[in-house]
């Protein structure tokens, strides 16, 4: 068997047999795709720059070429009249030979005689060789205190005060009527003073007890007693402040 495999022909180079390639795949939709591409093809839709005309080198950018240009000025119509000038023209000649019979010297003399003399301006100086200032605008002239209505109360102030008094009186009347309905009694000045004196005396007694407390409060009864005295003092101070602030006090009749 070994001898059968060995052969001289095996030493000769053999040609490589390439396998045959299958036919290339061609889509059945390629004609319709080509048609659609040709129909939708437009400029700048493909890769690369658009095929446009290259500008000529003669049309280079010139100076002031991008500045806005004004439209050409229309020529004025010859039939249009020019506006009348306020100054005489160069070709105009003055009117000659006109004379006035008015006596200006006599007219000026009569105006000076019959005219009222000019009042000099009142001035003042701050020192002997100082500058001059107008006296009218300096504030030194007592022109405001010499007015007819100086020192008189304006009418709107008196009217407003009368309205306020009237409103206060109506309010007091309404309060009295309300208190009569509720059977309230107004404290007199003597009763109010007696009430204030009693409250202040009570406050002094409580304050004296507060001062008699020990410096070190180390037990719960002492602490509670101190808090009780403080609350009583605060309540008395509040009552005294309310009575001193309000002069009129009403109480319910029992």
């Amino acid at each position: 068997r070994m001898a059968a495999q060995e052969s001289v022909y095996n030493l000769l180079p053999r040609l490589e047999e390439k396998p045959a390639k299958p036919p290339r795949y061609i889509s059945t939709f390629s004609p319709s795709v080509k048609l659609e591409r040709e129909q939708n093809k437009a400029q700048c839709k493909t890769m690369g720059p658009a095929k446009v005309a290259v500008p000529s080198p003669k049309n280079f950018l010139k100076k002031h070429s991008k500045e806005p240009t004004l439209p050409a000025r229309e020529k004025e119509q010859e039939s249009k009249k020019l506006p009348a000038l306020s100054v005489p023209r160069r070709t105009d000649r003055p009117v000659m030979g006109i004379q006035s019979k008015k006596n200006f010297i006599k007219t000026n003399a009569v105006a000076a005689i019959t005219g009222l003399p000019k009042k000099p301006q009142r001035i003042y100086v701050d020192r002997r060789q100082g500058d001059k200032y107008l006296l009218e605008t300096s504030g030194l002239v007592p022109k405001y205190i010499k007015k007819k209505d100086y020192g008189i109360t304006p009418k709107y102030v008196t009217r407003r005060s009368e309205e306020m008094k009237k409103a206060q009186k109506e309010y007091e009347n309404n309060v009295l009527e309300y208190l009569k309905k509720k059977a309230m009694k107004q404290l007199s000045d003597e009763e109010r003073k007696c009430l204030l004196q009693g409250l202040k005396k009570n406050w002094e007694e409580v304050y004296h007890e507060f001062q008699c407390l020990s410096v070190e409060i180390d037990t719960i009864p002492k602490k509670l007693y101190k808090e009780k005295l403080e609350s009583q003092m605060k309540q008395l101070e509040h009552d005294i402040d309310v009575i001193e602030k309000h002069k009129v006090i009403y109480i319910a009749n029992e």
Side-chain angles (χ1 to χ4, degrees):
R1 291 182 179 177
M2 294 295 292
Q5 292 180 356
E6 292 181 359
S7 177
V8 178
Y9 293 101
N10 293 336
L11 299 176
L12 295 176
R14 296 181 181 180
L15 296 176
E16 295 183 0
E17 296 181 0
K18 295 182 179 181
K21 291 183 179 181
R24 191 179 59 145
Y25 172 76
I26 298 175
S27 175
T28 56
F29 301 101
S30 59
S32 60
V33 171
K34 287 181 180 179
L35 183 62
E36 288 180 0
R37 190 188 63 172
E38 292 294 335
Q39 289 177 353
N40 298 331
K41 189 175 181 180
Q43 196 175 15
C44 301
K45 276 194 175 182
T46 57
M47 297 294 292
K51 295 181 180 179
V52 294
V54 181
S56 174
K58 294 182 179 179
N59 299 331
F60 55 88
L61 185 64
K62 297 181 181 179
K63 189 177 182 181
H64 305 295
S65 61
K66 291 189 176 183
E67 292 182 358
T69 56
L70 298 174
R73 186 177 179 181
E74 297 180 357
K75 293 183 178 180
E76 296 181 355
Q77 298 179 1
E78 297 179 357
S79 60
K80 191 175 181 181
K81 294 183 179 180
L82 295 174
L85 298 175
S86 59
V87 295
R89 296 180 181 276
R90 187 175 59 179
T91 56
D92 294 346
R93 301 298 177 187
V95 181
M96 306 296 289
I98 297 177
Q99 295 181 359
S100 177
K101 296 180 180 181
K102 183 179 179 180
N103 192 351
F104 291 95
I105 297 174
K106 187 176 180 180
T107 305
N108 293 340
V110 171
I113 293 168
T114 58
L116 296 174
K118 185 179 179 181
K119 293 183 179 180
Q121 287 185 335
R122 300 173 67 187
I123 58 174
Y124 77 97
V125 291
D126 51 1
R127 59 180 185 270
R128 190 173 181 181
Q129 295 179 350
D131 297 329
K132 297 179 180 180
Y133 302 97
L134 293 177
L135 185 63
E136 187 69 22
T137 58
S138 64
L140 301 174
V141 182
K143 56 183 180 179
Y144 293 103
I145 62 175
K146 291 184 178 180
K147 287 184 175 182
K148 294 181 180 180
D149 56 349
Y150 180 77
I152 300 174
T153 307
K155 293 182 179 179
Y156 73 93
V157 177
T158 55
R159 185 176 66 253
R160 189 178 297 172
S161 61
E162 290 175 358
E163 290 176 356
M164 289 176 66
K165 289 179 181 178
K166 186 178 179 182
Q168 182 67 22
K169 193 173 182 180
E170 291 178 356
Y171 175 73
E172 291 177 357
N173 294 334
N174 293 334
V175 170
L176 289 173
E177 290 178 1
Y178 178 76
L179 293 175
K180 287 178 181 178
K181 292 179 182 179
K182 295 291 183 178
M184 302 291 285
K185 178 185 175 183
Q186 181 180 352
L187 283 179
S188 62
D189 294 339
E190 295 179 358
E191 292 176 346
R192 180 171 168 274
K193 289 178 181 178
C194 292
L195 184 61
L196 271 175
Q197 290 176 1
L199 289 172
K200 289 179 180 178
K201 187 177 180 181
N202 293 340
W203 185 85
E204 289 176 0
E205 292 177 358
V206 176
Y207 184 66
H208 179 68
E209 293 179 5
F210 182 79
Q211 284 182 331
C212 293
L213 291 173
S214 60
V215 177
E216 185 178 358
I217 300 173
D218 51 354
T219 60
I220 294 176
K222 289 182 180 181
K223 187 176 181 182
L224 294 175
Y225 185 59
K226 181 185 177 184
E227 291 177 356
K228 179 183 176 182
L229 293 177
E230 287 177 350
S231 63
Q232 288 180 0
M233 289 171 63
K234 285 182 180 179
Q235 185 63 36
L236 289 170
E237 288 174 359
H238 175 71
D239 296 341
I240 291 168
D241 188 22
V242 170
I243 294 172
E244 286 180 346
K245 189 182 292 183
H246 301 89
K247 295 182 179 180
V248 181
I249 299 173
Y250 298 93
I251 58 174
N253 291 329
E254 295 180 356

